[in-house]
Amino acid sequence: MLYAVLCYNDENAVATWTKEEDDACMARLAQVEDGMKAKGKLGPVARLLPTTSATTLRKNSGEPLIIDGPFAETKEQFLGFYLTDCETLDEVIAFAKDLAVANPGLGSYEIRPVGVFHPSEIG
């Protein structure tokens, strides 16, 4: 079963990290990723740029509205995701727990089964 592991954190807190702190966090996350890669269970991984670089298309009954930034005002922002191929929910929960240990601070990991996946032609 494919699962998306959606990563949420306070991007303002993450933005205060020094380059050394960010590099150390990414190295710890890479160790967790390597375990899943070795099992052939890790698909695309993405770290999103800050919400200040986002554009939102808001649907309504008329013409869609295009606005700068994220639509939702929240304490935690969607900062990235992992796509995994796990046999059970318990397996992907264990992966998310390892990510949580590797990533300092508060935040959450939302785990959702993927219903449809079309592999991309993008490099």
PDB file of all heavy atoms in Angstrom, residues 1-2 33-44 83-87 91:
ATOM      1  N   MET A   1       0.856  -1.181   0.000  1.00  0.00           N
ATOM      2  CA  MET A   1       0.000   0.000   0.000  1.00  0.00           C
ATOM      3  C   MET A   1       0.894   1.233   0.000  1.00  0.00           C
ATOM      4  O   MET A   1       1.861   1.300   0.755  1.00  0.00           O
ATOM      5  CB  MET A   1      -0.891  -0.023   1.242  1.00  0.00           C
ATOM      6  CG  MET A   1      -1.631   1.259   1.556  1.00  0.00           C
ATOM      7  SD  MET A   1      -2.913   1.730   0.397  1.00  0.00           S
ATOM      8  CE  MET A   1      -4.235   0.674   0.880  1.00  0.00           C
ATOM      9  N   LEU A   2       0.568   2.184  -0.853  1.00  0.00           N
ATOM     10  CA  LEU A   2       1.287   3.457  -0.845  1.00  0.00           C
ATOM     11  C   LEU A   2       0.688   4.356   0.222  1.00  0.00           C
ATOM     12  O   LEU A   2      -0.531   4.451   0.358  1.00  0.00           O
ATOM     13  CB  LEU A   2       1.176   4.145  -2.207  1.00  0.00           C
ATOM     14  CG  LEU A   2       1.886   3.473  -3.371  1.00  0.00           C
ATOM     15  CD1 LEU A   2       1.630   4.250  -4.655  1.00  0.00           C
ATOM     16  CD2 LEU A   2       3.371   3.341  -3.111  1.00  0.00           C
ATOM     17  N   GLU A  33      15.668   7.957   6.118  1.00  0.00           N
ATOM     18  CA  GLU A  33      15.313   7.687   4.722  1.00  0.00           C
ATOM     19  C   GLU A  33      16.121   6.522   4.166  1.00  0.00           C
ATOM     20  O   GLU A  33      15.579   5.675   3.440  1.00  0.00           O
ATOM     21  CB  GLU A  33      15.566   8.933   3.864  1.00  0.00           C
ATOM     22  CG  GLU A  33      14.664  10.091   4.188  1.00  0.00           C
ATOM     23  CD  GLU A  33      15.141  11.392   3.564  1.00  0.00           C
ATOM     24  OE1 GLU A  33      15.957  11.353   2.610  1.00  0.00           O
ATOM     25  OE2 GLU A  33      14.706  12.453   4.033  1.00  0.00           O
ATOM     26  N   ASP A  34      17.407   6.465   4.502  1.00  0.00           N
ATOM     27  CA  ASP A  34      18.276   5.416   3.966  1.00  0.00           C
ATOM     28  C   ASP A  34      17.772   4.026   4.333  1.00  0.00           C
ATOM     29  O   ASP A  34      17.873   3.094   3.524  1.00  0.00           O
ATOM     30  CB  ASP A  34      19.723   5.605   4.451  1.00  0.00           C
ATOM     31  CG  ASP A  34      20.418   6.783   3.774  1.00  0.00           C
ATOM     32  OD1 ASP A  34      19.894   7.285   2.752  1.00  0.00           O
ATOM     33  OD2 ASP A  34      21.475   7.202   4.282  1.00  0.00           O
ATOM     34  N   GLY A  35      17.223   3.874   5.540  1.00  0.00           N
ATOM     35  CA  GLY A  35      16.677   2.582   5.945  1.00  0.00           C
ATOM     36  C   GLY A  35      15.516   2.156   5.061  1.00  0.00           C
ATOM     37  O   GLY A  35      15.415   0.985   4.662  1.00  0.00           O
ATOM     38  N   MET A  36      14.651   3.096   4.726  1.00  0.00           N
ATOM     39  CA  MET A  36      13.514   2.787   3.853  1.00  0.00           C
ATOM     40  C   MET A  36      13.973   2.571   2.408  1.00  0.00           C
ATOM     41  O   MET A  36      13.452   1.709   1.703  1.00  0.00           O
ATOM     42  CB  MET A  36      12.475   3.902   3.915  1.00  0.00           C
ATOM     43  CG  MET A  36      11.744   3.990   5.238  1.00  0.00           C
ATOM     44  SD  MET A  36      10.672   2.575   5.537  1.00  0.00           S
ATOM     45  CE  MET A  36       9.239   3.065   4.594  1.00  0.00           C
ATOM     46  N   LYS A  37      14.964   3.347   1.961  1.00  0.00           N
ATOM     47  CA  LYS A  37      15.499   3.173   0.605  1.00  0.00           C
ATOM     48  C   LYS A  37      16.092   1.779   0.445  1.00  0.00           C
ATOM     49  O   LYS A  37      15.887   1.126  -0.581  1.00  0.00           O
ATOM     50  CB  LYS A  37      16.582   4.219   0.314  1.00  0.00           C
ATOM     51  CG  LYS A  37      16.073   5.590  -0.005  1.00  0.00           C
ATOM     52  CD  LYS A  37      17.259   6.502  -0.294  1.00  0.00           C
ATOM     53  CE  LYS A  37      16.862   7.938  -0.258  1.00  0.00           C
ATOM     54  NZ  LYS A  37      18.018   8.851  -0.380  1.00  0.00           N
ATOM     55  N   ALA A  38      16.832   1.347   1.454  1.00  0.00           N
ATOM     56  CA  ALA A  38      17.481   0.038   1.390  1.00  0.00           C
ATOM     57  C   ALA A  38      16.464  -1.087   1.254  1.00  0.00           C
ATOM     58  O   ALA A  38      16.761  -2.126   0.660  1.00  0.00           O
ATOM     59  CB  ALA A  38      18.352  -0.174   2.636  1.00  0.00           C
ATOM     60  N   LYS A  39      15.259  -0.884   1.779  1.00  0.00           N
ATOM     61  CA  LYS A  39      14.189  -1.879   1.679  1.00  0.00           C
ATOM     62  C   LYS A  39      13.367  -1.699   0.404  1.00  0.00           C
ATOM     63  O   LYS A  39      12.428  -2.453   0.163  1.00  0.00           O
ATOM     64  CB  LYS A  39      13.247  -1.766   2.882  1.00  0.00           C
ATOM     65  CG  LYS A  39      13.882  -2.033   4.218  1.00  0.00           C
ATOM     66  CD  LYS A  39      12.853  -1.784   5.315  1.00  0.00           C
ATOM     67  CE  LYS A  39      13.487  -1.624   6.668  1.00  0.00           C
ATOM     68  NZ  LYS A  39      12.509  -1.222   7.683  1.00  0.00           N
ATOM     69  N   GLY A  40      13.673  -0.659  -0.391  1.00  0.00           N
ATOM     70  CA  GLY A  40      12.900  -0.379  -1.602  1.00  0.00           C
ATOM     71  C   GLY A  40      11.511   0.146  -1.304  1.00  0.00           C
ATOM     72  O   GLY A  40      10.587  -0.043  -2.089  1.00  0.00           O
ATOM     73  N   LYS A  41      11.347   0.837  -0.165  1.00  0.00           N
ATOM     74  CA  LYS A  41      10.025   1.277   0.274  1.00  0.00           C
ATOM     75  C   LYS A  41       9.853   2.792   0.283  1.00  0.00           C
ATOM     76  O   LYS A  41       8.835   3.291   0.739  1.00  0.00           O
ATOM     77  CB  LYS A  41       9.737   0.734   1.670  1.00  0.00           C
ATOM     78  CG  LYS A  41       9.628  -0.787   1.689  1.00  0.00           C
ATOM     79  CD  LYS A  41       9.282  -1.301   3.045  1.00  0.00           C
ATOM     80  CE  LYS A  41       9.063  -2.785   3.021  1.00  0.00           C
ATOM     81  NZ  LYS A  41       7.703  -3.129   2.632  1.00  0.00           N
ATOM     82  N   LEU A  42      10.838   3.533  -0.222  1.00  0.00           N
ATOM     83  CA  LEU A  42      10.758   4.987  -0.196  1.00  0.00           C
ATOM     84  C   LEU A  42      10.678   5.530  -1.606  1.00  0.00           C
ATOM     85  O   LEU A  42      11.518   5.232  -2.455  1.00  0.00           O
ATOM     86  CB  LEU A  42      11.968   5.595   0.521  1.00  0.00           C
ATOM     87  CG  LEU A  42      11.925   7.097   0.728  1.00  0.00           C
ATOM     88  CD1 LEU A  42      10.762   7.488   1.645  1.00  0.00           C
ATOM     89  CD2 LEU A  42      13.230   7.595   1.325  1.00  0.00           C
ATOM     90  N   GLY A  43       9.624   6.301  -1.858  1.00  0.00           N
ATOM     91  CA  GLY A  43       9.447   6.965  -3.145  1.00  0.00           C
ATOM     92  C   GLY A  43       9.918   8.403  -3.057  1.00  0.00           C
ATOM     93  O   GLY A  43      10.838   8.715  -2.297  1.00  0.00           O
ATOM     94  N   PRO A  44       9.257   9.289  -3.780  1.00  0.00           N
ATOM     95  CA  PRO A  44       9.649  10.697  -3.775  1.00  0.00           C
ATOM     96  C   PRO A  44       9.582  11.321  -2.383  1.00  0.00           C
ATOM     97  O   PRO A  44       8.721  10.990  -1.573  1.00  0.00           O
ATOM     98  CB  PRO A  44       8.612  11.358  -4.694  1.00  0.00           C
ATOM     99  CG  PRO A  44       8.079  10.252  -5.534  1.00  0.00           C
ATOM    100  CD  PRO A  44       8.141   9.023  -4.683  1.00  0.00           C
ATOM    101  N   LEU A  83       6.682   9.681   0.207  1.00  0.00           N
ATOM    102  CA  LEU A  83       5.798   8.668  -0.337  1.00  0.00           C
ATOM    103  C   LEU A  83       6.438   7.317  -0.049  1.00  0.00           C
ATOM    104  O   LEU A  83       7.600   7.092  -0.393  1.00  0.00           O
ATOM    105  CB  LEU A  83       5.590   8.848  -1.839  1.00  0.00           C
ATOM    106  CG  LEU A  83       4.545   7.935  -2.458  1.00  0.00           C
ATOM    107  CD1 LEU A  83       3.155   8.224  -1.884  1.00  0.00           C
ATOM    108  CD2 LEU A  83       4.519   8.082  -3.959  1.00  0.00           C
ATOM    109  N   THR A  84       5.694   6.448   0.646  1.00  0.00           N
ATOM    110  CA  THR A  84       6.240   5.151   1.049  1.00  0.00           C
ATOM    111  C   THR A  84       5.389   4.019   0.489  1.00  0.00           C
ATOM    112  O   THR A  84       4.215   4.219   0.181  1.00  0.00           O
ATOM    113  CB  THR A  84       6.275   5.025   2.582  1.00  0.00           C
ATOM    114  OG1 THR A  84       4.933   5.025   3.087  1.00  0.00           O
ATOM    115  CG2 THR A  84       7.065   6.156   3.220  1.00  0.00           C
ATOM    116  N   ASP A  85       5.995   2.863   0.402  1.00  0.00           N
ATOM    117  CA  ASP A  85       5.292   1.653  -0.014  1.00  0.00           C
ATOM    118  C   ASP A  85       5.441   0.658   1.133  1.00  0.00           C
ATOM    119  O   ASP A  85       6.447  -0.042   1.237  1.00  0.00           O
ATOM    120  CB  ASP A  85       5.895   1.097  -1.303  1.00  0.00           C
ATOM    121  CG  ASP A  85       5.101  -0.065  -1.868  1.00  0.00           C
ATOM    122  OD1 ASP A  85       4.037  -0.404  -1.305  1.00  0.00           O
ATOM    123  OD2 ASP A  85       5.547  -0.638  -2.877  1.00  0.00           O
ATOM    124  N   CYS A  86       4.476   0.628   2.021  1.00  0.00           N
ATOM    125  CA  CYS A  86       4.547  -0.190   3.226  1.00  0.00           C
ATOM    126  C   CYS A  86       3.469  -1.264   3.218  1.00  0.00           C
ATOM    127  O   CYS A  86       2.379  -1.059   2.690  1.00  0.00           O
ATOM    128  CB  CYS A  86       4.394   0.685   4.471  1.00  0.00           C
ATOM    129  SG  CYS A  86       5.762   1.843   4.685  1.00  0.00           S
ATOM    130  N   GLU A  87       3.791  -2.384   3.821  1.00  0.00           N
ATOM    131  CA  GLU A  87       2.853  -3.503   3.884  1.00  0.00           C
ATOM    132  C   GLU A  87       1.680  -3.206   4.817  1.00  0.00           C
ATOM    133  O   GLU A  87       0.565  -3.639   4.570  1.00  0.00           O
ATOM    134  CB  GLU A  87       3.575  -4.766   4.359  1.00  0.00           C
ATOM    135  CG  GLU A  87       4.667  -5.247   3.420  1.00  0.00           C
ATOM    136  CD  GLU A  87       4.150  -5.670   2.061  1.00  0.00           C
ATOM    137  OE1 GLU A  87       3.079  -6.294   1.997  1.00  0.00           O
ATOM    138  OE2 GLU A  87       4.828  -5.352   1.063  1.00  0.00           O
ATOM    139  N   GLU A  91       3.807  -0.346   9.875  1.00  0.00           N
ATOM    140  CA  GLU A  91       5.132  -0.120   9.289  1.00  0.00           C
ATOM    141  C   GLU A  91       5.345   1.357   8.975  1.00  0.00           C
ATOM    142  O   GLU A  91       6.409   1.913   9.263  1.00  0.00           O
ATOM    143  CB  GLU A  91       5.295  -0.970   8.031  1.00  0.00           C
ATOM    144  CG  GLU A  91       6.674  -0.876   7.416  1.00  0.00           C
ATOM    145  CD  GLU A  91       6.838  -1.726   6.171  1.00  0.00           C
ATOM    146  OE1 GLU A  91       5.828  -2.261   5.640  1.00  0.00           O
ATOM    147  OE2 GLU A  91       7.985  -1.854   5.707  1.00  0.00           O
TER     148      GLU A  91
END
